[in-house]
Amino acid sequence: MTDKKEALKKVNAFWIEHCTCSLRKEALQAVPGDGSADAEILFIGEAPGKKEDLLGVPFIGSAGKFLSEMLASIKLKREDIFITNVVKYRPPENRDPSPEEKEACRQWLVDQVEIIDPVLIVTLGRHAMKNFILDKKISDVHGKTFYVTSPDLGTRTFYCLYHPAAALYNGGLREALKKDFKKIPSLLKKIQKKK
Ligand code: URA
């Protein structure tokens, strides 16, 4: 097992036991994340849905299938990236997670980011974007890169995308998402060159 894989396993085990998020009362289980601890790209969605809650794996429903298709379009597989959510437990009826719930899961996410130390963080949808980039509209920031410094994460590179679930039911968003997605490989190369 690589050092990062081992560290991630430990962090997830710690938070499964200690996370104070009130969503855990109704959720079946935690959905910590999935993929490679050595990934260069970390995708962050909003919250687990019904299927994810049942199986403990993020993005395995229809939005996840669409995400896998888009990954394939840039020659990546799920195993090449890491994917997680802002909150690690399913909100009842898939409602939006509250600020308190997001805050309760924040350190878990911060620990994951620190271990994986991705070159690029891709936010999926409005909630994930607003967690890091305040006061912006997803319609203005999708397909754009932000260098954000925060006290707990340091300076990180974020790329904002529409949420695949929203794009499934809206042709305009779907085309925008596919187009934005295709820019990921060149963006990654550009960032790596700068380093
Ligand atoms: N939508 C999300 O934001 N996360 C999941 O894990 C599944 C659907």
Side-chain angles (χ1 to χ4, degrees):
M1 208 185 278
T2 67
D3 290 353
K4 283 189 178 191
K5 195 170 173 186
E6 182 74 36
L8 199 58
K9 209 174 144 192
K10 276 193 189 150
V11 150
N12 290 335
F14 173 86
W15 284 112
I16 285 172
E17 206 161 304
H18 295 101
C19 186
T20 56
C21 183
S22 53
L23 290 173
R24 63 187 295 170
K25 281 186 236 135
E26 286 185 61
L28 293 175
Q29 60 184 318
V31 182
D34 184 39
S36 167
D38 296 296
E40 291 184 325
I41 314 174
L42 170 64
F43 285 80
I44 304 178
E46 176 185 334
K50 192 171 180 187
K51 214 165 178 183
E52 289 79 16
D53 184 41
L54 210 59
L55 296 176
V57 182
F59 283 93
I60 44 165
S62 45
K65 189 168 169 269
F66 184 35
L67 184 67
S68 297
E69 280 168 27
M70 285 187 293
L71 284 169
S73 79
I74 56 168
K75 303 201 165 36
L76 286 178
K77 293 196 219 62
R78 286 269 298 224
E79 307 87 88
D80 300 321
I81 57 133
F82 193 84
I83 187 155
T84 187
N85 286 298
V86 169
V87 296
K88 312 299 193 206
Y89 298 90
R90 181 192 182 204
E93 311 302 325
N94 297 343
R95 64 159 169 75
D96 290 349
S98 71
E100 293 75 23
E101 290 154 0
K102 290 186 206 172
E103 185 51 38
C105 291
R106 171 91 184 184
Q107 192 56 45
W108 191 339
L109 183 60
V110 168
D111 288 351
Q112 291 178 318
V113 173
E114 270 176 7
I115 291 165
I116 298 165
D117 193 21
V119 177
L120 181 66
I121 298 177
V122 179
T123 60
L124 298 171
R126 188 166 55 94
H127 285 279
M129 181 271 287
K130 282 195 182 285
N131 214 39
F132 306 104
I133 302 152
L134 304 172
D135 299 329
K136 300 268 188 220
K137 275 163 64 181
I138 186 78
S139 52
D140 292 333
V141 300
H142 76 90
K144 291 190 181 141
T145 310
F146 294 85
Y147 304 94
V148 182
T149 304
S150 56
D152 54 3
L153 285 173
T155 303
R156 301 271 167 195
T157 309
F158 292 89
Y159 184 57
C160 305
L161 295 180
Y162 283 119
H163 196 289
L168 272 180
Y169 305 105
N170 179 319
L173 294 193
R174 191 162 57 244
E175 288 318 302
L177 177 55
K178 282 185 184 169
K179 204 168 141 208
D180 293 341
F181 216 93
K182 287 263 167 74
K183 293 186 201 156
I184 292 177
S186 57
L187 180 59
L188 202 62
K189 266 194 202 143
K190 216 164 98 187
I191 303 167
Q192 279 161 332
K193 249 191 202 167
K194 270 196 195 164
K195 279 196 159 184

